[in-house]
Amino acid sequence: MDLDFRVPLIRERLESFRLVVPVASPKGGVGKTTVASALSLLLAREGIPTGLLDADFTNPTTHVMLGLDAESITPEEEKGVLPVRVEDKLEFMSPAFYSKDKPLPLRGHETVDALRELLAVTRWSSRILIVDSPPGLSDTLLELLRLHRDSRVLIISTCDEMSLLSTKRMIDFLAQEGLRSIGIVANMCNECSKIQGRLNTSALACLPLIEGFQRLEGNRDKVLEALGTGLEAVKYRIISLL
């Protein structure tokens, strides 16, 4: 039995969303933060109230993709903590607002405790919550899926053999645990047929490698201009689930 008094409140807050989407990747460096940020912007600019949570507690960087200076921002407190409003329909919360971009060398149980605290105190008003989770089957991702089993995981993978093998393991894990996935986004991938051939399923979206993409980081309009069209199928899939 879980005696943490925060758990019932966390479950209540998560159930207030029409959809919770952990954006997960079996390996680091496949563009998970990029896709989570671009997808959140795409949904918000479609007029859908969207929340984006950076749940990578030891290395939060989503604010960089959104063009925010974490050191200069402190979320407002009002019967809890209010997420930062990035755009009219986009709310955002990150541990970087509290660490001020300093190192956060948290161990497993400390990461779970930090996640619970942030989920318990944050007062969202959005319909969708996109969660940028750490790479792999991290403590953070496993805890989120335990707290909210109705989550729909969006898997980000590149098309190299190591990433595909790791993606298959993640798909097998979700099936084994009875958890659901929205689908796979093949990122930085010029041969999306590899997804079908190796994983026996089609990618929901296929994003090519964009040379010089790093120069766009922090410019929300440019990020969306580069990736928005490629993520349209994911957007419509999410809208169909609302």
Side-chain angles (χ1 to χ4, degrees), residues 162-182:
M162 287 191 293
S163 184
L164 291 173
L165 173 61
S166 301
T167 298
K168 184 177 185 308
R169 289 173 179 160
M170 179 166 281
I171 293 171
D172 290 345
F173 165 76
L174 294 176
Q176 173 188 311
E177 296 297 319
L179 297 164
R180 292 177 291 183
S181 168
I182 286 180

Side-chain angles (χ1 to χ4, degrees), residues 33-42 44-45 50-54 60-70 73 83-87 90-94 96-97 124 130 132 213-214 216-224:
T33 295
T34 301
V35 172
S37 301
L39 180 60
S40 297
L41 287 165
L42 191 62
R45 295 190 182 184
T50 303
L52 173 60
L53 170 65
D54 189 343
T61 55
T62 312
H63 59 286
V64 177
M65 190 61 66
L66 295 176
L68 302 178
D69 177 10
I73 298 173
V84 173
R85 187 151 304 272
V86 179
E87 297 193 353
L90 179 61
E91 302 174 304
F92 174 59
M93 179 57 77
S94 169
F97 293 143
W124 301 92
I130 306 292
D132 183 7
F213 183 83
Q214 293 83 351
L216 309 182
E217 293 173 355
N219 187 326
R220 297 193 293 273
D221 291 337
K222 292 293 184 182
V223 167
L224 202 50

Side-chain angles (χ1 to χ4, degrees), residues 76-231:
E76 183 181 347
E77 294 188 16
E78 182 184 326
K79 298 179 181 178
V81 178
L82 301 178
V84 173
R85 187 151 304 272
V86 179
E87 297 193 353
D88 183 42
K89 298 291 185 183
L90 179 61
E91 302 174 304
F92 174 59
M93 179 57 77
S94 169
F97 293 143
Y98 301 96
S99 67
K100 302 302 180 187
D101 276 343
K102 300 293 189 301
L104 277 176
L106 301 178
R107 298 185 181 188
H109 66 284
E110 295 170 325
T111 302
V112 169
D113 188 58
L115 174 68
R116 288 185 179 189
E117 186 64 20
L118 204 57
L119 290 175
V121 302
T122 305
R123 295 178 56 214
W124 301 92
S125 61
S126 297
R127 294 176 66 197
I128 300 173
L129 180 64
I130 306 292
V131 182
D132 183 7
S133 60
L137 295 173
S138 63
D139 290 315
T140 302
L141 177 62
L142 295 176
E143 177 67 3
L144 178 64
L145 295 175
R146 188 186 75 83
L147 290 167
H148 192 67
R149 290 188 60 82
D150 285 339
S151 299
R152 298 288 190 101
V153 180
L154 180 65
I155 302 173
I156 314 301
S157 177
T158 53
C159 289
D160 63 275
E161 189 58 32
M162 287 191 293
S163 184
L164 291 173
L165 173 61
S166 301
T167 298
K168 184 177 185 308
R169 289 173 179 160
M170 179 166 281
I171 293 171
D172 290 345
F173 165 76
L174 294 176
Q176 173 188 311
E177 296 297 319
L179 297 164
R180 292 177 291 183
S181 168
I182 286 180
I184 301 170
V185 172
N187 190 33
M188 299 183 287
C189 186
N190 294 321
E191 295 182 78
C192 284
S193 58
K194 286 186 175 180
I195 296 286
Q196 177 71 49
R198 188 70 174 79
L199 303 177
N200 200 29
T201 186
S202 299
L204 188 55
C206 186
L207 305 175
L209 175 66
I210 300 175
E211 296 293 341
F213 183 83
Q214 293 83 351
R215 292 194 296 271
L216 309 182
E217 293 173 355
N219 187 326
R220 297 193 293 273
D221 291 337
K222 292 293 184 182
V223 167
L224 202 50
E225 183 180 317
L227 300 176
T229 301
L231 290 172

Side-chain angles (χ1 to χ4, degrees), residues 39 42 46 204-205 227-238:
L39 180 60
L42 191 62
E46 185 72 16
L204 188 55
L227 300 176
T229 301
L231 290 172
E232 284 284 309
V234 182
K235 179 187 75 175
Y236 288 121
R237 173 66 175 146
I238 287 176

Side-chain angles (χ1 to χ4, degrees), residues 7-20 126-127 147-150:
V7 169
L9 175 60
I10 292 168
R11 289 197 163 121
E12 181 181 328
R13 292 204 191 284
L14 291 174
E15 286 169 5
S16 71
F17 293 100
R18 296 291 296 273
L19 190 64
V20 176
S126 297
R127 294 176 66 197
L147 290 167
H148 192 67
R149 290 188 60 82
D150 285 339

